[in-house]
Amino acid sequence: MTQHDPQNLQARKARLRNSFIAQLPHRVRELRQHLSQLAPGQQDAPHLQEIHRILHTLKGSGATFGVPEVMSTARGAEQSLSRVLDGEAPITSKLLDELAAQLETLERLEFEYAPSLPQERAPEVDLPAQRSGRDIASCRGEHSIYVCDDDPEMAGALAMQLGCFGYRVTPFTSLTRLCQAVTTAPPAAVILDVVFPEGRNAGPDTLVEINRITGQRVPTIFMSNREDFAARLHAVQAGGSAYCTKPVKTVEMVEILDLITDTTPAEPFHILIVDDDPDLAQYHALILEQAGMVTRVLSDPAEVLQQLETFKADLVLIDLYMPRCSGLELAQVLRQVPRHISLPIIYVSSETDAARQFKALAAGADGFLTKPLEPQRLVTEIRLRAERMRTLRSLMVRDSLTGLFNHNTILQLLEIAVAAALRGNTPLSFAMIDIDRFKQVNDGHGHNIGDQVLMALGRSLRLRMRESDVVGRYGGEEFAVVMLGATAERAQQVLDTLRLNFAEVTFVGAGGQQFHCSFSAGLAALPDFTDAATLQEAADRALYLAKRRGRNRVECAPIASATPPR
């Protein structure tokens, strides 16, 4: 995450405060214009709504930017309007006199704060429309792993197995050589036996020494024939990340390695801020950006639906009181659109009346934050709700077992990729993959072991395919891959390498029985087939051909073949 300069933060906040103060004369003129249109005896006057909105904004912004006199004056005027706004009383001469007096107070405050402004008004902060996400290179398949076991066959076999999942593994049989290697070229993780000729707990003792020498905690997975509590406790006290008993299950080991070596920063949350007060909107954007989020600011609610087409917001932060379209009305509009039904909506307002807050929440919002907002609370509230949204969105588009895109999503992404490839005149390949004789695995070893095989192939696909490729679980034991920019020849080479590696993975079934699996794949590519539907049908035909020709192979779709019976 980018480190932000606190002094720069304070400077930007000061500029926003100056901008707010400089806008006071304009706001007061607006209030006077609307006040001049009111007369005693009126009720539910549109000008009264505008006066309330402006006062509400001044109250929240005054509190946020540290101008308490403006905040308290605006709050007093807003409270004077409460009975009229609730339809409980008409506009009276007394009310109009009170509002006029409070406007005079605001005008006096204009002149009191004016000397604190710079000679030239500070320019408004120009927030980017969308800050680009962090440019992070993929580390998949590049993690260096050290394996140390005094049994050379064990160390070598585990190194080979993990290599099939894309890790670069170096085996060691000596604790001394392991220490030298770690201090010279630190790995992403260490897999270390517990028992060595040096002692029953020589592995954990060595890790303590390694961490002391390097001055940092090296992620370590212990493996051992020992299952006793004392061995596990010693491993924990030494700083171990996990503990696996022998015989080591490769799939289990890979799951742990994936977890402890994943250093990819999470994609920053995208927050859409809708507020007719540009200074306050920019201040909230500033706070969220300092916390590593990406923001987009809008002052016109009518632009929200269009912006959401390109800005994939995790959450929308909406001011409650805006002209022409209130926050409540905007929330109702968003809830009319099926794809935005679950989009988190948070109101931000200085409204403290519980009944009005409840009415606003009933429109379909998820929370209500009261101005002034303490920065840490704003960040925490937004992060919690955005994280929930991201989790729900992931559950909707991903397969729960493998974490890959589900059937519907992979087909939608195929259509999008095909359209992009045709526009750019670039190659694209689509592959259907099926695990050979998978029913025998489930029947012979049970569905739990079958799930391990599915997870292993899913993980192999994630590790071996490029970042730009799209991988999904098509259904059952079938997977699908969209390979952007890959010709049929290149795609076949990649899939063949993956097929050979997967066939080397050893699975442990019922009663400790070891077995291997293979897969068959069918491949179709642009421009031989010209749309998503024909690509899918052609890849399915090629998969059938691979099965018919003996399985454990990759076949390219014949261009003019007919669909055979299955």
Side-chain angles (χ1 to χ4, degrees):
M1 182 180 296
T2 303
Q3 297 298 315
H4 298 282
D5 183 358
Q7 292 182 347
N8 183 49
L9 172 61
Q10 293 302 317
R12 292 181 68 186
K13 184 176 179 180
R15 289 197 296 271
L16 291 173
R17 181 179 185 273
N18 292 338
S19 177
F20 167 69
I21 294 172
Q23 287 290 322
L24 272 177
H26 172 69
R27 303 271 175 85
V28 173
R29 283 196 301 272
E30 280 189 295
L31 287 170
R32 284 211 174 277
Q33 289 173 0
H34 289 296
L35 184 62
S36 67
Q37 302 298 316
L38 298 180
Q42 287 181 319
Q43 197 168 9
D44 192 28
H47 293 286
L48 192 66
Q49 297 289 338
E50 279 300 294
I51 290 173
H52 174 263
R53 181 187 65 80
I54 297 170
L55 289 172
H56 187 81
T57 298
L58 290 174
K59 180 180 73 171
S61 298
T64 298
F65 294 124
V67 191
E69 296 88 349
V70 172
M71 182 269 293
S72 59
T73 303
R75 181 175 59 193
E78 185 187 39
Q79 289 172 348
S80 300
L81 296 175
S82 58
R83 294 189 65 217
V84 180
L85 288 169
D86 292 337
E88 299 174 1
I91 298 173
T92 64
S93 297
K94 180 182 177 182
L95 172 64
L96 295 178
D97 290 341
E98 289 177 356
L99 291 175
Q102 285 155 337
L103 288 186
E104 290 178 1
T105 301
L106 288 174
E107 285 179 331
R108 176 178 55 80
L109 290 171
E110 294 175 21
F111 294 102
E112 289 185 5
Y113 280 102
S116 67
L117 293 176
Q119 291 298 314
E120 295 184 4
R121 182 182 171 190
E124 294 183 4
V125 176
D126 183 21
L127 289 178
Q130 179 180 357
R131 193 174 61 187
S132 61
R134 283 164 287 187
D135 198 9
I136 302 164
S138 170
C139 294
R140 295 184 307 170
E142 297 180 359
H143 290 306
S144 173
I145 309 297
Y146 293 168
V147 174
C148 189
D149 191 305
D150 60 321
D151 181 346
E153 291 185 359
M154 173 67 188
L158 184 55
M160 184 196 70
Q161 291 284 302
L162 296 178
C164 294
F165 288 90
Y167 286 103
R168 291 188 294 108
V169 187
T170 305
F172 295 89
T173 56
S174 162
L175 290 173
T176 301
R177 291 185 178 178
L178 173 68
C179 288
Q180 293 172 346
V182 170
T183 54
T184 303
V190 170
I191 301 173
L192 184 58
D193 197 4
V194 170
V195 180
F196 282 86
E198 290 87 341
R200 282 177 55 79
N201 292 302
D205 292 342
T206 299
L207 177 60
V208 171
E209 182 65 14
I210 287 174
N211 289 340
R212 185 190 67 79
I213 295 172
T214 60
Q216 59 185 5
R217 182 175 174 274
V218 179
T220 301
I221 303 172
F222 284 106
M223 57 182 180
S224 179
N225 289 315
R226 294 179 59 185
E227 299 185 40
D228 57 284
F229 179 81
R232 293 179 178 274
L233 178 61
H234 208 122
V236 168
Q237 292 173 337
S241 306
Y243 192 103
C244 297
T245 56
K246 294 181 178 180
V248 172
K249 296 177 181 177
T250 307
V251 174
E252 177 183 321
M253 183 71 74
V254 170
E255 287 179 5
I256 299 171
L257 281 175
D258 285 352
L259 182 64
I260 67 175
T261 62
D262 184 10
T263 57
T264 304
E267 177 71 17
F269 293 122
H270 288 62
I271 311 300
L272 181 64
I273 301 173
V274 188
D275 197 321
D276 64 311
D277 184 338
D279 295 329
L280 198 58
Q282 290 173 0
Y283 174 65
H284 291 153
L286 172 63
I287 292 172
L288 297 177
E289 286 187 346
Q290 293 292 321
M293 303 184 197
V294 177
T295 66
R296 181 171 292 185
V297 175
L298 294 178
S299 59
D300 185 357
E303 299 177 5
V304 169
L305 290 178
Q306 180 182 356
Q307 291 295 327
L308 286 174
E309 294 296 323
T310 56
F311 186 75
K312 302 302 181 184
D314 295 295
L315 181 144
V316 182
L317 192 66
I318 302 177
D319 184 27
L320 186 58
Y321 295 107
M322 294 183 290
R324 296 181 297 280
C325 176
S326 68
L328 184 150
E329 292 166 337
L330 177 56
Q332 291 175 322
V333 169
L334 287 172
R335 293 304 186 230
Q336 292 173 354
V337 182
R339 64 180 174 276
H340 299 325
I341 287 177
S342 60
L343 178 63
I345 298 173
I346 303 295
Y347 294 124
V348 57
S349 171
S350 55
E351 179 62 72
T352 56
D353 183 82
R356 289 199 186 101
Q357 288 187 357
F358 181 77
K359 181 181 178 181
L361 290 172
D366 299 84
F368 201 107
L369 297 177
T370 305
K371 303 174 186 177
L373 291 173
E374 191 274 321
Q376 187 55 50
R377 186 192 171 201
L378 174 64
V379 170
T380 301
E381 294 276 0
I382 296 301
R383 182 173 283 145
L384 286 173
R385 287 175 170 84
E387 181 65 45
R388 182 183 67 177
M389 174 58 181
R390 209 166 260 189
T391 301
L392 290 174
R393 186 181 288 164
S394 177
L395 291 174
M396 292 168 59
V397 302
R398 293 191 179 274
D399 170 59
S400 59
L401 179 66
T402 63
L404 303 177
F405 290 116
N406 59 26
H407 176 90
N408 290 334
T409 304
I410 192 68
L411 292 184
Q412 291 172 7
L413 294 175
L414 172 61
E415 290 185 358
I416 294 171
V418 168
L422 291 174
R423 284 196 305 269
N425 195 28
T426 57
L428 178 144
S429 295
F430 177 68
M432 296 280 292
I433 298 172
D434 184 271
I435 299 176
D436 297 326
R437 298 186 174 87
F438 185 70
K439 186 177 184 300
Q440 295 180 9
V441 175
N442 281 335
D443 292 344
H445 302 285
H447 287 276
N448 288 337
I449 302 300
D451 285 349
Q452 288 187 15
V453 175
L454 292 172
M455 289 190 298
L457 180 53
R459 185 166 287 105
S460 295
L461 288 168
R462 289 205 313 269
L463 287 168
R464 288 293 184 171
M465 306 310 292
R466 301 167 304 168
E467 196 72 27
S468 59
D469 296 332
V470 183
V471 184
R473 185 180 177 193
Y474 194 78
E477 66 271 25
E478 285 190 322
F479 295 78
V481 181
V482 182
M483 303 179 69
L484 305 172
T487 62
E489 292 76 14
R490 175 56 183 158
Q492 186 166 19
Q493 292 174 359
V494 172
L495 290 173
D496 262 326
T497 300
L498 178 64
R499 178 183 60 82
L500 294 172
N501 284 332
F502 183 71
E504 294 294 327
V505 176
T506 300
F507 297 96
V508 180
Q513 179 184 358
Q514 295 185 348
F515 66 97
H516 295 81
C517 285
S518 64
F519 69 73
S520 301
L523 184 64
L526 293 178
D528 296 338
F529 305 92
T530 56
D531 58 48
T534 55
L535 274 171
Q536 182 186 350
E537 293 169 0
D540 194 50
R541 292 197 302 269
L543 175 60
Y544 174 82
L545 184 62
K547 293 284 189 181
R548 194 175 61 186
R549 289 181 174 176
R551 299 181 174 85
N552 192 17
R553 60 191 298 123
V554 179
E555 292 287 348
C556 288
I559 298 176
S561 63
T563 303
R566 296 195 63 176

